[in-house]
Amino acid sequence: MEIDKAIRESNDQKLKTKYNKAVNVIQRALALYPIEEVAFSFNGGKDSTVLLHLLRAGFFLHQVDNGHSNGDLSSYASAFPIRTIYFESPSAFPEINSFTYETASSYGVQLDIIRQDFKSGLEALLKSKPTKAIFLGVRIGDPTAVGQEQFSPSSPGWPPFMRVNPILDWSYRDVWAFLLTCKVPYCSLYDQGYTSIGSVNDTTPNALLCIKDFGKEKFKPAYMLSDGRLERAGRAKKLHQKVKDGVKGVESHQENTPSASIIAVGDEILSGRVEDELRHLLCRKLHSIGWNVSHIAVVSSDVDSVAQEVENQKSTSDMVFLYGGVGPLPSDVSIAGVAKALSVCLASNEEFEEHLRNLYGEKWTGESNEMAKLPEGITELLLHEKLPVPLIKCGNIIVFSATNVNEFDQQWDALTNSRLLATTRSFVSKHFTTSLSDIDVAQPLSKLCFEFPNVNIGCYRKSRTEPLTITLEGKDEKMVEAAMEAVSTRLSSQ
Ligand SMILES: Cc1cc2nc3c(=O)[nH]c(=O)nc-3n(C[C@H](O)[C@H](O)[C@H](O)COP(=O)(O)O)c2cc1C
Ligand SMILES: Nc1ncnc2c1ncn2[C@@H]1O[C@H](COP(=O)(O)OP(=O)(O)OP(=O)(O)O)[C@@H](O)[C@H]1O
Ligand SMILES: [Mg+2]
């Protein structure tokens, strides 16, 4: 069997160990469940491609173990014996669809195409064909892997079946080592810089693989991504889609304007002992790249306060920026708060530990240090040559460790270089001063707000005796100019 042979002949001990363990899980599943009641969930992605070949090898070895001679298996070479389901969606990449179909035909895979969402599709499947166990290419680090083991019953509220995850403990490196060692075909998108593939609405090539070739942007193949923890960096939801889907309930006055929430953590800020300079700076920086800050909060240094605020904001903003409460002190609870909000454990992160060791030298107290613990399975480290310690990103939460303006500037530069923040059209701002009273301007301005919904019209004055400044801001320059013209005409007639 060519897969088994390729692995046995390879010198990659780590891969061999992972392979043996995965095949063992497959053999256990095949011993536990009748093969007619087992299914494989295949979607043309790299992880499920690995699993397809592991299942081929696992089935072969299972047959050999059960006393079938190699001769009996000749027909198996052209027919894959496990029922295979593919949830086809209109938003799948065409390359994924064609790879899935081509692979099915090359390896004799009987594809059951399901054109429903996962839950309803599985409900229908279980009704039509008894299915006790489903093989999935889920790996630790996938958001959906949290809390799963190699054999995990489906979640409460889902139809009942056993999820079998033979490659749960495989790293990104293991996946590529396997595909390249076995020389099996994989979807062409992975050679174009895609490192993890969702739908056309939420997946772009991974910016960390981008290279400039004579000024033109190109992407290296997925197997060249050195830090596997960043494999999902190309899977931010595309902003315009998010606004259309209404996935996030963000009331932004601009279309295509990403929204940000800022959370500062610190009892010193709440007591007024320390001035929060970073908030002002962060607002300015976000505004300068066309983002809308929709919420700012200061919370006290306790895990539950941080967790509650992060939980509230992570689903209402495109990105949550958090600072304060990061470090080794008892009051440094921000990372634990983020983990709690995301329902994951804190676990030692070797790479982060290495950076801390370099930073603290002899003062570093070793592996048990709580500071090296980060939210498990969902943390991405954003490295930058100017940063002694990488920035931490967990889902749509970015944690700054800066304690002053200079450190913050550096961390911001690293973040913008990482290209994780969408830069959209910048705001066009105009202002207008008037000595009219607030009562005079109130009604005309309210009307103008309705007439120009895409222009944010605001007012402020430095003191009650100084003129009123009216601000107009938007992304459509012509619209802002028209609003400005309308303001000046309406107010001059007052
Ligand atoms: C065969 C199959 C079984 C699944 N079972 C569960 C489940 O038991 N519980 C659950 O929350 N999600 C389940 N899901 C949904 C996945 O966890 C996840 O949402 C889906 O694979 C999309 O992942 P992505 O966002 O990384 O593309 C299942 C999906 C598939 C294809
Ligand atoms: N549309 C789908 N149809 C069938 N199975 C799916 C589908 N989407 C996800 N799965 C199952 O969930 C597993 C995990 O999905 P995930 O997107 O993390 O991995 P992948 O698609 O194999 O690779 P990649 O991480 O590169 O996208 C897949 O390996 C597959 O078993
Ligand atoms: Mg995928």
Side-chain angles (χ1 to χ4, degrees):
M1 201 280 157
E2 86 281 8
I3 299 294
D4 195 58
K5 185 164 179 277
I7 300 294
R8 307 247 165 261
E9 286 174 359
S10 129
N11 293 323
D12 188 337
Q13 290 309 325
K14 227 171 135 193
L15 178 63
K16 281 185 176 176
T17 310
K18 291 284 172 76
Y19 169 82
N20 287 334
K21 274 171 76 182
V23 165
N24 193 268
V25 172
I26 292 168
Q27 287 182 283
R28 263 162 58 210
L30 294 178
L32 274 171
Y33 305 101
I35 194 136
E36 314 74 53
E37 296 187 3
V38 170
F40 163 42
S41 197
F42 178 61
N43 68 337
K46 64 178 187 312
D47 305 323
S48 63
T49 303
V50 167
L51 186 51
L52 165 69
H53 295 289
L54 289 174
L55 287 168
R56 292 177 60 234
F59 180 73
F60 172 85
L61 297 169
H62 173 72
Q63 293 288 80
V64 171
D65 284 356
N66 287 336
H68 295 266
S69 73
N70 280 357
D72 292 347
L73 296 168
S74 51
S75 62
Y76 150 69
S78 58
F80 179 73
I82 301 173
R83 214 152 26 85
T84 301
I85 51 173
Y86 173 42
F87 290 84
E88 194 185 272
S89 131
S91 56
F93 281 90
E95 292 89 341
I96 278 283
N97 270 338
S98 49
F99 177 75
T100 304
Y101 289 115
E102 279 158 23
T103 307
S105 128
S106 313
Y107 295 98
V109 174
Q110 281 284 325
L111 264 194
D112 215 342
I113 313 289
I114 306 178
R115 292 195 177 90
Q116 277 172 295
D117 63 85
F118 291 130
K119 221 181 197 176
S120 331
L122 290 167
E123 251 156 35
L125 177 82
L126 261 65
K127 269 192 201 131
S128 63
K129 292 171 193 150
T131 307
K132 293 223 168 69
I134 306 183
F135 286 106
L136 288 142
V138 170
R139 290 191 292 114
I140 284 291
D142 292 346
T144 57
V146 174
Q148 285 210 60
E149 293 179 30
Q150 277 147 341
F151 287 79
S152 276
S154 50
S155 312
W158 283 69
F161 55 90
M162 184 61 81
R163 288 177 286 179
V164 186
N165 304 311
I167 58 165
L168 190 67
D169 63 339
W170 284 43
S171 67
Y172 184 81
R173 183 214 83 93
D174 299 330
V175 165
W176 281 110
F178 179 86
L179 294 173
L180 299 175
T181 303
C182 298
K183 299 193 178 64
V184 288
Y186 54 81
C187 176
S188 60
L189 290 175
Y190 294 109
D191 281 335
Q192 297 163 33
Y194 290 81
T195 50
S196 174
I197 301 170
S199 75
V200 291
N201 298 322
D202 68 8
T203 313
T204 53
N206 192 324
L208 292 151
L209 291 173
C210 185
I211 37 168
K212 287 255 159 32
D213 187 16
F214 294 105
K216 261 182 101 182
E217 251 187 15
K218 278 179 123 185
F219 288 88
K220 291 187 277 185
Y223 59 79
M224 295 194 72
L225 183 73
S226 51
D227 185 351
R229 272 167 288 200
L230 301 177
E231 89 173 78
R232 294 177 75 89
R235 286 192 67 174
K237 199 139 175 49
K238 279 185 191 162
L239 295 160
H240 66 273
Q241 189 64 32
K242 193 179 288 182
V243 172
K244 262 204 286 178
D245 290 351
V247 172
K248 310 262 163 153
V250 185
E251 282 298 320
S252 168
H253 63 277
Q254 300 291 332
E255 213 188 316
N256 291 347
T257 299
S259 65
S261 287
I262 299 177
I263 305 175
V265 180
D267 292 342
E268 314 68 34
I269 304 176
L270 288 169
S271 68
R273 210 172 316 131
V274 166
E275 199 174 328
D276 178 6
E277 293 173 300
L278 302 190
R279 174 179 47 185
H280 180 60
L281 190 58
L282 183 51
C283 285
R284 280 213 327 255
K285 289 193 185 285
L286 284 164
H287 191 264
S288 72
I289 57 164
W291 280 56
N292 179 44
V293 176
S294 55
H295 179 90
I296 301 180
V298 184
V299 299
S300 67
S301 311
D302 75 83
V303 177
D304 287 332
S305 304
V306 176
Q308 184 66 60
E309 192 61 34
V310 170
E311 174 144 26
N312 292 343
Q313 296 312 315
K314 75 179 178 19
S315 50
T316 53
S317 292
D318 291 304
M319 204 62 102
V320 179
F321 298 90
L322 187 145
Y323 56 84
V326 180
L329 303 171
S331 58
D332 291 330
V333 295
S334 292
I335 298 290
V338 170
K340 187 162 184 187
L342 300 174
S343 312
V344 295
C345 309
L346 285 175
S348 293
N349 181 309
E350 275 175 35
E351 189 189 351
F352 195 57
E353 203 174 295
E354 194 56 43
H355 287 283
L356 293 173
R357 195 174 290 118
N358 289 340
L359 180 70
Y360 289 108
E362 285 177 5
K363 289 198 193 126
W364 176 248
T365 52
E367 282 166 21
S368 59
N369 197 308
E370 290 297 307
M371 227 180 133
K373 291 193 174 163
L374 297 176
E376 189 174 27
I378 49 165
T379 299
E380 291 170 35
L381 295 179
L382 309 181
L383 307 168
H384 189 268
E385 65 212 355
K386 284 200 197 138
L387 294 186
V389 176
L391 276 182
I392 296 164
K393 177 172 177 289
C394 302
N396 67 335
I397 300 143
I398 292 189
V399 182
F400 294 103
S401 55
T403 53
N404 64 36
V405 169
N406 287 340
E407 287 168 9
F408 184 81
D409 274 335
Q410 278 188 347
Q411 296 188 358
W412 177 262
D413 287 347
L415 182 60
T416 44
N417 280 347
S418 75
R419 304 176 48 184
L420 274 167
L421 294 187
T423 39
T424 64
R425 267 205 286 173
S426 22
F427 288 104
V428 178
S429 303
K430 302 219 171 275
H431 66 273
F432 180 91
T433 18
T434 175
S435 49
L436 288 170
S437 74
D438 292 6
I439 297 195
D440 293 332
V441 301
Q443 219 181 15
L445 282 191
S446 304
K447 277 196 187 150
L448 286 164
C449 289
F450 275 111
E451 285 168 37
F452 294 94
N454 287 333
V455 179
N456 192 15
I457 303 179
C459 306
Y460 68 89
R461 57 167 95 245
K462 286 192 178 141
S463 78
R464 283 278 155 213
T465 53
E466 280 176 80
L468 182 72
T469 302
I470 298 167
T471 58
L472 299 102
E473 197 164 74
K475 293 208 163 172
D476 182 335
E477 191 168 3
K478 288 214 169 77
M479 200 63 94
V480 176
E481 275 166 7
M484 177 76 172
E485 181 105 20
V487 169
S488 81
T489 317
R490 306 277 168 90
L491 296 191
S492 56
S493 64
Q494 286 291 305

